[in-house]
Amino acid sequence: GSDVVLSGTVHHVHPAPGADAFIVSAKGASGLALYHVPAKAAGVSCKNELRADGTFAGTLTLGDVKIGVADLVARGEKAE
């Protein structure tokens, strides 16, 4: 398999502050898949936002983040 490039924004990610990685869902030509995305990967940014209850959540932005085949967690029915 080849690398996957992920782009998009996910709101209300909890607990995002201090996370080492994220599990991100993405829909492509072969259906739904889950990917392990390291927080320090090139193109990943996370903005912390204060919620009404006083805790923090994040807005995760992926800008052309290149993910290797080894970071595929699940695909198809296993990802649902």
Side-chain angles (χ1 to χ4, degrees):
S2 60
D3 292 340
V4 173
V5 178
L6 300 175
S7 293
T9 302
V10 182
H11 299 279
H12 312 293
V13 178
H14 181 74
D20 294 329
F22 303 95
I23 300 296
V24 175
S25 62
K27 190 171 184 181
S30 61
L32 186 65
L34 299 176
Y35 297 95
H36 172 264
V37 179
K40 294 185 179 184
V44 174
S45 66
C46 187
K47 179 181 175 188
N48 292 328
E49 297 178 354
L50 184 62
R51 300 187 321 174
D53 66 358
T55 62
F56 285 90
T59 295
L60 180 65
T61 302
L62 307 175
D64 294 332
V65 178
K66 193 178 207 182
I67 299 298
V69 177
D71 289 312
L72 175 65
V73 175
R75 177 179 283 148
E77 288 185 19
K78 292 181 181 180
E80 293 181 13

